[in-house]
């Protein structure tokens, strides 16, 4: 059956601004502190903060926090650089914390 409702989206939990498409999920098996997070290939309607080196669970990465472009809520981060060869696949990808996004148009 054809889906006539358009793409399934996730929105900022605070202001309902669309921030990513369900089809852009690479993995649902990520952690952000004590919270679940999703790895996305793309996001929209976000603003990136300054780049900084951060020691994460999988090692040292250069990341930039990402914020909702409408309300400014911190939603996650973007991987700018991975220093471990096994983590290079994350470069350019975005992590969004599950509790900061809600399903929209499902």
């Amino acid at each position: 059956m054809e889906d006539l409702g358009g793409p399934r989206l996730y929105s900022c939990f605070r202001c309902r601004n669309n921030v990513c498409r369900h089809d852009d999920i690479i993995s649902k098996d990520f952690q952000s502190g004590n919270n679940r997070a999703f790895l996305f290939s793309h996001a929209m309607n976000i603003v990136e903060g300054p780049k900084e080196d951060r020691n994460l669970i999988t090692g040292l990465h250069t990341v930039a926090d990402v914020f909702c472009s409408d309300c400014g809520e911190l939603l996650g981060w973007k991987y700018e650089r991975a220093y471990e060869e096994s983590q290079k696949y994350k470069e350019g990808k975005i992590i969004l914390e599950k509790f900061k996004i809600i399903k929209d148009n499902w």
Side-chain angles (χ1 to χ4, degrees), residues 18-87:
N18 293 334
V19 292
C20 52
R21 295 171 5 120
H22 180 266
D23 291 346
D24 290 332
I25 291 177
I26 295 170
S27 175
K28 294 181 178 182
D29 292 330
F30 277 73
Q31 286 291 123
S32 169
N34 293 325
N35 302 305
R36 284 190 58 207
F38 297 162
L39 181 68
F40 288 87
S41 59
H42 300 92
M44 59 190 153
N45 300 322
I46 58 168
V47 176
E48 292 180 30
K51 297 175 187 175
E52 65 180 31
D53 285 343
R54 223 179 263 168
N55 271 311
L56 302 173
I57 296 169
T58 55
L60 182 63
H61 299 272
T62 301
V63 298
D65 286 336
V66 295
F67 303 87
C68 174
S69 64
D70 277 0
C71 71
E73 180 69 33
L74 174 64
L75 300 175
W77 66 86
K78 180 178 181 181
Y79 287 102
E80 298 290 342
R81 181 176 179 200
Y83 293 91
E84 302 278 335
E85 192 62 38
S86 65
Q87 301 300 309

